[in-house]
Amino acid sequence: MEKLYEGKSKIVYAGPDEWTCYIKYKDTATAGNGAKKEDLPEKGRINAQISNIIFDYLTRYGIKTHMLRFVDPTMILAKKAEIIPLEVVVRNVAAGHFSSRYGVEEGSALKNVVVEYSYKNDDLGDPLICDSQITALGIAEQFELDEIKELALKINELLVRFFDKAGIKLIDFKIELGRYNGEIILCDEISPDCARLWDKTTNEKMDKDRFRRDMGDVMYYYQEILRRVMKANE
Ligand code: 5GP
């Protein structure tokens, strides 16, 4: 297979035609822009499965995604979208960089849902970026940003409901979007690698923060997320 791109957690290969690509989920976990790196056996398979269940659920509610089908347990066939180099972060509760940047305790309530953008660029360390900077650099047009924000908020509403059913609080998450056939579609993945997921009753962290912060039992909790989302999806 022809490798088109290798990222920190996925590899993209050319698909059977020009409209599709294969995406392979790796077991590699990284944090701090690659400064911390480790192989976590089964992570690729578990994240691929979790993401697929969530994308399926979102599709049922009218969200368009890149997912076509599984090729094997760690590889999917996806629509080959033109990825918009933005990380779109949605926050329901203060945590992570929001807490450190603005000096608010992790777990603090927010008066409204936050949608923020970072420019996806490893060399620059994915800097925060605002609407007028995005349009000035030609990364996306304002009408696209308006659509992206509406889409992000709709995905958030659907995910909060879904994870609640699974006994999980959705603290925040990151999505990536792409242009495909004149539409903006949801790409990349939604998994514990890119979302903060806390147990609804104990507030136990069940996501990648366990890896970032050396809390241990990373794959135990990822497996538990998979078990719960499978049950919530029944
Ligand atoms: P923060 O900005 O607090 O670091 O992250 C906010 C949310 O977006 C978290 O759920 C985090 O997992 C996700 N996120 C932000 N940047 C990245 C990134 O570069 N890679 C991944 N996998 N997730 C990210």
Side-chain angles (χ1 to χ4, degrees):
M1 278 196 284
E2 185 199 347
K3 194 194 277 190
L4 300 178
Y5 167 81
E6 178 157 3
K8 293 193 282 285
S9 64
K10 281 184 234 75
I11 307 174
V12 181
Y13 299 97
D17 57 66
E18 59 179 313
W19 304 105
T20 58
C21 59
Y22 294 110
I23 302 176
K24 170 95 180 163
Y25 283 71
K26 302 199 286 188
D27 284 344
T28 318
T30 64
N33 201 7
K36 180 174 155 75
K37 188 172 170 186
E38 216 174 288
D39 252 23
L40 300 174
E42 294 293 292
K43 183 174 84 78
R45 182 185 62 79
I46 291 172
N47 276 351
Q49 243 178 304
I50 293 171
S51 194
N52 183 51
I53 293 169
I54 292 171
F55 276 29
D56 247 12
Y57 161 77
L58 293 174
T59 302
R60 292 202 293 279
Y61 285 89
I63 306 290
K64 299 205 165 88
T65 82
H66 72 165
M67 176 67 181
L68 291 171
R69 62 177 168 83
F70 267 104
V71 176
D72 70 37
T74 60
M75 194 188 288
I76 63 163
L77 182 69
K79 296 170 192 163
K80 191 175 167 193
E82 180 200 342
I83 297 294
I84 300 169
L86 291 175
E87 297 194 336
V88 180
V89 171
V90 181
R91 301 181 189 271
N92 296 303
V93 174
H97 281 109
F98 188 91
S99 286
S100 56
R101 195 179 296 128
Y102 304 114
V104 279
E105 201 181 329
E106 201 161 66
S108 308
L110 299 170
K111 291 189 174 176
N112 54 265
V113 175
V114 172
V115 180
E116 63 187 42
Y117 308 109
S118 293
Y119 179 30
K120 198 173 154 64
N121 184 317
D122 279 345
D123 294 339
L124 300 175
D126 299 342
L128 267 183
I129 191 165
C130 71
D131 283 41
S132 64
Q133 293 168 325
I134 293 170
T135 54
L137 290 170
I139 296 168
E141 301 211 28
Q142 190 58 50
F143 78 92
E144 292 180 305
L145 284 178
D146 295 343
E147 194 181 327
I148 287 171
K149 186 169 182 194
E150 200 182 312
L151 200 56
L153 289 171
K154 184 168 177 203
I155 291 170
N156 182 50
E157 266 182 42
L158 290 166
L159 289 183
V160 165
R161 221 192 300 160
F162 181 78
F163 280 116
D164 184 68
K165 203 173 153 206
I168 295 166
K169 273 191 231 169
L170 177 62
I171 304 299
D172 57 33
F173 63 95
K174 182 263 301 180
I175 51 174
E176 294 181 26
L177 302 129
R179 303 180 183 97
Y180 185 82
N181 257 349
E183 288 184 315
I184 289 179
I185 64 170
L186 177 62
C187 296
D188 196 44
E189 67 179 309
I190 296 181
S191 74
D193 262 12
C194 49
R196 287 198 171 89
L197 305 167
W198 295 2
D199 182 273
K200 196 168 139 182
T201 47
T202 65
N203 277 339
E204 189 81 68
K205 293 179 178 25
M206 306 179 74
D207 54 72
K208 195 173 165 187
D209 274 348
R210 301 202 68 89
F211 171 74
R212 294 186 187 106
R213 302 177 188 187
D214 296 317
M215 297 170 77
D217 299 327
V218 183
M219 289 326 296
Y220 167 81
Y221 283 96
Y222 276 41
Q223 185 74 58
E224 176 62 12
I225 297 274
L226 173 59
R227 193 187 65 77
R228 292 195 198 184
V229 299
M230 280 171 86
K231 196 150 178 275
N233 197 42
E234 276 170 5

